[in-house]
Amino acid sequence: MNIPEFCMRRPIATMLLWLSASVAGIASWKQLPISALPDYDTPTLQVTGRLTGASPETMSVSVATPLEKEFSSIPGLTGTTSTSVQGETKITLEFEASRNIDAAAGDVQAALFRVSRSLPAEMTSPPSYKKLNPGDAPVLLIGLSSPTLQLSELNGFSDNLIVPSLSAVPGVAQVTVTGQKRYAVRIGIDPQRLAAADLTIDEVAAALKGANANTPVGQLDGKRQMLMLQMAGGLRKASDFGAQVIATRNGHTLRLRDVATVEDSIENAQNSSNIDGASAILLTVQRQPGANTVATIDAIRALLPRLQEKMPASVRVRLLSDRSLSIRDAMHDVHITIMLTIALVIMVILLFLRSVAATVIAAISLPLSLLGTFGLMSLLGLSLNNISLMGITIAVGLVVDDAIVVLENIIRYIEQGLRPVEAALRGAREVSFTVVSISVSLVAVFIPIFFMPGTIGLLFHEFAIVVSLAILVSACVALTLIPLLAPLLIGKHSGHGGGKRFEAAFAWVQRCYLARLDWALRHRGVVLSVALATFGLTAALYIAAPKGFFPQEDIGQIQATVEGPQDMSFLGRLDAVTRIEASLLDDPAIESIATKVDHDTNGLTITLKPRGERPPMSEVLTRLRKDTAFLPGIQVLFSPVQNLKIGGRSSKSTYQYTLQAVGGGDLDEWASRLMAAMRESEVFVGVNSDSQKNGLQVLIDVDRDKAAQLGVELAGIRSSLYAAFGRRQVSTIYAPEDSYKVIMEVAEARRSDESDLAAIHVRANSGTLVPLSALARVRRQPGTMAVNHQGQLAAVTISFDLRPGKSLSDAGTAIEAARAAVKMPQSVFGAFAGLAAVFDKAQSTQLWLILVAVATIYVVLGMLYESWIHPVTILLGVPSAALGALLALRLCGLELTFIAMIGILLLVGVVKKNAIMMIDFALDAQRRHGATPEQAIRSACELRFRPIMMTTLCALLGALPIALGIGAGAELRQPLGVTVVGGLLVSQVITLFITPVLYLWFEAVNRRTSVTLLPAGSGTA
């Protein structure tokens, strides 16, 4: 007893089983999490170390290098990059995807403990780490503003209420506040008045530190009571500090206001943020690696109303650059695409079967297969994302294939006069092996993807799993439920009913096909020549095709960076950003702009209007680049935000190319030459680098002999300079609600250039004041603003975007040409980084993926047919599918991305089903009825023409809505649809003629070599 017969004898059990599966599928569908992409993030940690006042070179040598060496021994570490700037080092650690991020964090913490003794003693706090990918764009921006409150008042709500609450939300890695106006008392010292009072700036700092100490003073213990001791008179405001006595001279008290200006101010004056041109506090929310973007933002949205209730009514909380909106839009449009696809597939079934009852039976396989897939996805912990839903959409055109094959054969026997029950038993039994062969071999296509390692594997595992699950569930439906329903809904004389016009047209098409098939069978040499030509043309098109990795998405967000001279002041940068912001706000495609300017950031986060209200992203970027090129010496770099961000390197453009050298001496010079050559190329736009060696610095050359003669210690000089120009915190205000800084520096008018150093005095051992100019020479020279490492070697990363119509393969060729043009030595080596590095690795992976898939199908088919020859016959139609796919991509102006390659891989599985249906029938005719090979294959082509056309049209129309590229996130799915549609159109025409000819050719070879053609068991019992 076979499976169809078993289910027909137990109809109630079978129906209840599928009804239960449907209910479970609906429940699972509602519970599946939503995300932009599968969880592809690799564990990434960022380590931060601070040594206030240290130069970038000092930070690199004394902090970054020891940490990098210690981290290099951590298991599973795949990449280390570091950036050292003034007083700070940030190291990004990337681990293998298999490593647990918590375990990796534990190893990093242990490494920090081991290396602590090797770090400078002056570090007041040890290095720390966060589970954060600094290269990932924020998932949400939150703006705080109020028409009645000052920003300094708003700052209290952001620091004490919003930031702590958001940081506790699951999935949030870091909340950064920009435009922060945290209260502080600022002291501006007048060096001349200070010298006249016979004081040094260090002595003022010491006096203030002692005047506002918060050390414990103990308690009194009596016989009956205990009394706490507290010191009164803590300094809280600028007026309190201004009145503080800092010294006595000749019996006169000297107060701080006598030598300095003291004001209630903010902690960081070089920190500004705007929203649409108006000042606001901006909170940037970044997610943890692996966290679900939609779930994280949903949790934040649920929390914000409760926080709003705790703030004054005038405080406006505004959400900007919400990454979840584009994900939800994409999900909505994909669901519409799926419904359209289902409608098109059902229309094809109705046209061919010409019976409402038969159409209903075949169409039942659609919801059952999809709901069963949703249930299995929930069990496997998968999510609804652009990749998995792309698999669901493409599967709609595939899951009806098995039902069509079974149902069409049953109807054929009903038309021959058999009773419906007998026709169902015989028809289902006859094609059971065909259904199993088609399904198993189609799933076999994805076996290489299941075992694919790294980021590519993480991205496409879900696609392979979802499509495979849908195909296997559909095969189960076809072999269990379709034979059961056919006798119940189709009468004895039903079969192919109305639709005479369509039937007449189809009969004409079939006659034309058979006539041309007879010609092809008589002229086998010509057909074989065409088959060989498809091989050559496919190879040529593959080599010439522009190649990329992942289509650029349009999620409606752009990150922009304003690049100016590296020695440009904060006020100069702020003015440039403000003018560019004003220009951009006039653009009709822009909805909102958030700007951030601080000590090392000149950024704009641009949110575009909905897709229907603006041009495509490429046109918007071209216009914005043109409209912002009006400030001399200023370059604005625009980079569209992408859901796919690979690597932990933060850059100003989408793609990166990193240069390294062991010595590092001339690395920056060669990087500059390469960038100049790249800017002249027609491939790149927005070329920039992270090299910051063109800043300005003031070198203070102390005459050590003279300093020794005058009794001045070098440590005293450094301390005085830091107190004067380092924005030094000299005291802390301990208020009931929080603590605030007291910051001291030379007055703003006295710290504009190197000439102001002459006013600084230091105390000699003899007690006299010595002017700095008496023992040091001061000169201006170029300075290093940042030192970058990759894997402990000096590195310069060049970032770039591509001009419209250019691909990453073009970029690789252009970079090699630029290296040759500048005659770069072999000692300076380079490689793609981030997304471009994955593309570079995928180039060799793509072709091997197809070859391994074909080999896997060959093994599976060889085992099913117990034959060496028939799998070859079936698979030789694959090049025609690849030819159609490559032609379609070229006609549509699309790159051969990895998603397009997945489409070609899918075609390998789809196209071979035509050959399976023909060859399986021909083998059965030869074995059971004694037909000759010519009679068997022609009969197979004639009788299987209808199901072949039906299944192909279903698959083609299932991919057509994706190929049209309509809706949010369509640019991600379109290459897959185009390859499937193009491949099916071409392969359908070619394989209907090539496969019969190849079958006969191999039959002739078998007869000449005495190799048995028929397998040990056809399987079509």
Side-chain angles (χ1 to χ4, degrees):
M1 184 185 298
N2 54 36
I3 293 177
E5 184 179 354
F6 177 84
C7 293
M8 291 180 69
R9 293 183 183 278
R10 290 167 176 78
I12 296 177
T14 302
M15 291 183 181
L16 286 175
L17 174 65
W18 284 109
L19 181 62
S20 302
S22 301
V23 173
I26 293 173
S28 300
W29 177 37
K30 297 293 185 182
Q31 298 298 321
L32 285 171
I34 298 174
S35 60
L37 296 170
D39 183 10
Y40 68 92
D41 290 316
T42 55
T44 305
L45 301 175
Q46 186 182 57
V47 177
T48 303
R50 292 183 175 88
L51 179 56
T52 306
S55 68
E57 291 95 336
T58 301
M59 293 299 302
S60 172
V61 172
S62 62
V63 179
T65 299
L67 289 173
E68 289 168 344
K69 289 182 178 179
E70 190 65 39
F71 292 149
S72 64
S73 62
I74 296 178
L77 183 67
T78 59
T80 304
T81 56
S82 70
T83 298
S84 299
V85 296
Q86 184 81 13
E88 183 179 69
T89 287
K90 289 186 177 180
I91 303 175
T92 302
L93 306 173
E94 299 176 55
F95 293 87
E96 294 175 350
S98 59
R99 283 231 61 182
N100 179 275
I101 191 169
D102 294 321
D107 289 343
V108 169
Q109 183 63 61
L112 290 175
F113 177 77
R114 291 194 301 268
V115 80
S116 59
R117 294 180 180 274
S118 303
L119 299 177
E122 293 81 5
M123 293 185 72
T124 56
S125 59
S128 61
Y129 71 88
K130 289 184 178 180
K131 300 173 186 176
L132 170 70
N133 184 346
D136 197 10
V139 296
L140 185 67
L141 298 182
I142 302 175
L144 289 182
S145 60
S146 171
T148 58
L149 299 178
Q150 297 292 326
L151 289 181
S152 57
E153 297 175 276
L154 280 177
N155 193 86
F157 294 110
S158 70
D159 282 0
N160 302 320
L161 177 63
I162 299 178
V163 171
S165 301
L166 295 183
S167 299
V169 171
V172 173
Q174 177 175 270
V175 182
T176 306
V177 183
T178 311
Q180 194 175 39
K181 306 300 179 185
R182 183 175 175 83
Y183 174 77
V185 170
R186 301 191 73 91
I187 301 168
I189 298 291
D190 186 332
Q192 293 181 342
R193 290 159 62 185
L194 192 67
D198 191 31
L199 281 174
T200 67
I201 197 166
D202 269 342
E203 293 165 349
V204 175
L208 292 176
K209 182 178 181 180
N212 204 40
N214 194 35
T215 55
V217 291
Q219 65 184 35
L220 298 176
D221 293 303
K223 292 183 179 181
R224 297 182 180 180
Q225 290 180 320
M226 183 273 291
L227 301 175
M228 300 291 295
L229 297 180
Q230 294 287 348
M231 288 283 292
L235 308 180
R236 297 287 179 86
K237 297 181 179 180
S239 57
D240 298 335
F241 281 92
Q244 176 63 35
V245 176
I246 57 174
T248 59
R249 291 293 185 265
N250 300 322
H252 297 287
T253 57
L254 186 67
R255 302 182 187 276
L256 181 61
R257 59 174 176 250
D258 297 330
V259 295
T261 58
V262 187
E263 58 183 358
D264 294 311
S265 182
I266 57 177
E267 188 174 301
N268 186 1
Q270 295 190 357
N271 186 9
S272 175
S273 61
N274 287 353
I275 298 178
D276 294 339
S279 295
I281 293 177
L282 200 62
L283 281 68
T284 302
V285 181
Q286 288 184 284
R287 68 180 179 94
Q288 291 182 358
N292 184 287
T293 299
V294 174
T296 301
I297 294 179
D298 284 348
I300 292 174
R301 283 182 172 272
L303 175 64
L304 285 177
R306 299 198 297 270
L307 299 180
Q308 182 82 63
E309 294 174 356
K310 301 175 182 179
M311 295 185 288
S314 64
V315 177
R316 183 187 180 192
V317 179
R318 183 176 177 185
L319 301 185
L320 305 165
S321 299
D322 185 342
R323 293 265 298 276
S324 70
L325 295 180
S326 62
I327 298 173
R328 295 184 190 279
D329 290 343
M331 295 299 104
H332 174 266
D333 289 349
V334 169
H335 282 97
I336 293 177
T337 301
I338 291 175
M339 298 306 296
L340 176 60
T341 302
I342 291 174
L344 291 173
V345 170
I346 292 175
M347 181 188 70
V348 171
I349 299 172
L350 182 60
L351 282 174
F352 275 88
L353 296 183
R354 306 183 309 283
S355 166
V356 174
T359 302
V360 169
I361 295 173
I364 283 176
S365 64
L366 275 170
L368 288 179
S369 299
L370 297 183
L371 291 175
T373 302
F374 288 138
L376 293 173
M377 287 174 64
S378 179
L379 288 176
L380 295 174
L382 306 183
S383 65
L384 292 177
N385 54 69
N386 279 313
I387 300 297
S388 62
L389 283 177
M390 183 168 61
I392 290 288
T393 307
I394 206 71
V396 169
L398 304 177
V399 295
V400 295
D401 287 2
D402 297 333
I404 288 173
V405 171
V406 174
L407 185 61
E408 198 276 338
N409 209 42
I410 293 173
I411 292 175
R412 185 167 63 86
Y413 280 115
I414 291 176
E415 290 180 335
Q416 292 176 5
L418 292 181
R419 292 185 301 109
V421 173
E422 184 180 350
L425 284 171
R426 184 173 178 180
R429 182 174 62 247
E430 187 176 83
V431 296
S432 293
F433 183 76
T434 303
V435 169
V436 172
S437 299
I438 292 174
S439 300
V440 173
S441 59
L442 187 51
V443 170
V445 170
F446 299 107
I447 290 177
I449 298 181
F450 293 145
F451 296 99
M452 188 178 293
T455 303
I456 299 177
L458 292 173
L459 277 172
F460 293 103
H461 281 167
E462 285 199 19
F463 178 86
I465 292 171
V466 166
V467 177
S468 298
L469 291 176
I471 291 168
L472 293 176
V473 173
S474 73
C476 293
V477 174
L479 295 177
T480 59
L481 194 60
I482 300 302
L484 173 63
L485 295 178
L488 297 177
L489 299 180
I490 300 177
K492 183 175 182 181
H493 302 290
S494 292
H496 296 141
K500 294 182 179 179
R501 291 185 180 179
F502 176 80
E503 187 60 25
F506 182 79
W508 178 82
V509 172
Q510 188 173 24
R511 288 194 301 271
C512 292
Y513 164 64
L514 292 174
R516 284 154 181 77
L517 175 63
D518 292 335
W519 183 92
L521 295 178
R522 293 194 302 270
H523 300 82
R524 300 175 192 176
V526 176
V527 177
L528 291 174
S529 299
V530 172
L532 291 174
T534 60
F535 277 80
L537 188 54
T538 300
L541 283 174
Y542 176 80
I543 294 172
K547 300 175 182 65
F549 174 62
F550 216 71
Q552 188 176 84
E553 294 183 82
D554 181 357
I555 68 172
Q557 297 178 22
I558 301 172
Q559 292 281 5
T561 303
V562 179
E563 284 268 288
Q566 293 181 12
D567 61 343
M568 195 173 185
S569 68
F570 169 78
L571 292 178
R573 292 186 287 115
L574 180 61
D575 178 66
V577 171
T578 302
R579 294 173 64 181
I580 290 168
E581 178 189 24
S583 172
L584 291 174
L585 284 172
D586 293 333
D587 192 286
I590 292 178
E591 184 176 87
S592 65
I593 300 177
T595 65
K596 297 180 288 184
V597 183
D598 55 28
H599 69 286
D600 62 353
T601 303
N602 314 311
L604 301 94
T605 301
I606 301 170
T607 303
L608 302 180
K609 292 180 179 178
R611 293 166 62 100
E613 302 176 21
R614 59 173 172 84
M617 177 66 77
S618 58
E619 296 181 21
V620 173
L621 289 173
T622 301
R623 187 172 67 206
L624 295 183
R625 290 183 178 116
K626 180 181 178 182
D627 292 347
T628 53
F630 60 88
L631 292 177
I634 299 295
Q635 180 185 18
V636 185
L637 305 169
F638 295 94
S639 181
V641 176
Q642 301 292 290
N643 286 316
L644 178 65
K645 180 67 175 74
I646 297 174
R649 183 180 279 102
S650 180
S651 64
K652 301 165 188 174
S653 298
T654 305
Y655 306 107
Q656 297 87 42
Y657 182 83
T658 299
L659 288 174
Q660 290 184 276
V662 176
D666 297 328
L667 183 60
D668 292 282
E669 175 64 25
W670 287 112
S672 298
R673 294 183 185 181
L674 182 62
M675 287 175 58
M678 291 173 63
R679 288 191 176 110
E680 294 176 0
S681 170
E682 294 297 324
V683 176
F684 306 104
V685 65
V687 179
N688 64 93
S689 82
D690 61 358
S691 175
Q692 298 187 48
K693 300 295 181 69
N694 296 321
L696 287 177
Q697 67 181 16
V698 175
L699 182 66
I700 304 170
D701 187 6
V702 177
D703 187 331
R704 294 174 180 264
D705 293 339
K706 186 176 290 186
Q709 292 173 0
L710 295 175
V712 177
E713 298 180 357
L714 291 180
I717 297 175
R718 298 181 70 92
S719 178
S720 295
L721 289 172
Y722 179 52
F725 305 106
R727 300 186 179 92
R728 181 177 177 182
Q729 180 182 353
V730 294
S731 185
T732 302
I733 300 172
Y734 298 98
E737 73 281 2
D738 206 344
S739 60
Y740 303 98
K741 293 182 179 180
V742 179
I743 299 171
M744 185 181 70
E745 59 189 342
V746 169
E748 185 175 357
R750 298 289 187 176
R751 48 184 170 87
S752 58
D753 57 43
E754 62 269 30
S755 63
D756 292 322
L757 293 173
I760 302 300
H761 290 70
V762 293
R763 181 76 66 185
N765 292 336
S766 61
T768 59
L769 286 183
V770 179
L772 183 63
S773 57
L775 47 81
R777 292 181 300 158
V778 176
R779 66 177 185 273
R780 181 182 298 194
Q781 65 179 28
T784 298
M785 309 298 291
V787 176
N788 302 298
H789 287 175
Q790 178 173 300
Q792 301 185 43
L793 292 179
V796 174
T797 298
I798 299 173
S799 302
F800 59 89
D801 279 298
L802 300 173
R803 294 185 185 274
K806 299 300 180 181
S807 65
L808 271 174
S809 58
D810 297 329
T813 303
I815 288 176
E816 290 303 316
R819 285 178 62 101
V822 301
K823 300 179 180 179
M824 187 172 290
Q826 294 297 320
S827 59
V828 179
F829 47 93
F832 281 123
L835 189 64
V838 179
F839 158 78
D840 206 29
K841 294 178 183 177
Q843 290 305 288
S844 58
T845 304
Q846 288 182 357
L847 199 54
W848 279 109
L849 183 65
I850 299 297
L851 294 176
V852 172
V854 171
T856 304
I857 295 177
Y858 175 83
V859 171
V860 172
L861 291 176
M863 295 170 63
L864 290 172
Y865 284 95
E866 192 61 31
S867 170
W868 299 100
I869 298 298
H870 299 317
V872 178
T873 309
I874 292 170
L875 290 172
L876 283 177
V878 170
S880 63
L883 174 63
L886 293 171
L887 284 173
L889 289 172
R890 183 61 65 93
L891 290 174
C892 294
L894 298 175
E895 300 173 359
L896 181 60
T897 60
F898 205 85
I899 285 184
M901 188 60 71
I902 293 295
I904 295 176
L905 185 69
L906 183 63
L907 281 171
V908 174
V910 174
V911 169
K912 54 96 181 101
K913 73 175 176 17
N914 295 350
I916 287 178
M917 283 192 279
M918 288 188 284
I919 291 175
D920 199 46
F921 189 92
L923 290 174
D924 186 63
Q926 285 185 260
R927 182 174 64 85
R928 290 192 176 191
H929 306 293
T932 64
E934 289 78 4
Q935 293 171 338
I937 194 63
R938 192 187 185 284
S939 177
C941 291
E942 180 179 2
L943 294 178
R944 287 292 185 253
F945 184 71
R946 180 183 292 272
I948 285 174
M949 293 299 293
M950 286 178 65
T951 55
T952 301
L953 275 176
C954 285
L956 191 149
L957 291 179
L960 185 60
I962 303 177
L964 293 176
I966 301 173
E971 56 278 343
L972 185 67
R973 305 183 294 270
Q974 188 178 21
L976 178 72
V978 169
T979 54
V980 172
V981 171
L984 288 177
L985 285 174
V986 174
S987 66
Q988 182 73 355
V989 175
I990 295 178
T991 55
L992 284 174
F993 298 98
I994 288 179
T995 301
V997 171
L998 288 172
Y999 181 85
L1000 296 178
W1001 186 78
F1002 279 118
E1003 277 287 308
V1005 172
N1006 278 333
R1007 286 196 297 268
R1008 287 196 298 269
T1009 58
S1010 300
V1011 175
T1012 303
L1013 172 66
L1014 295 178
S1018 173
T1020 57

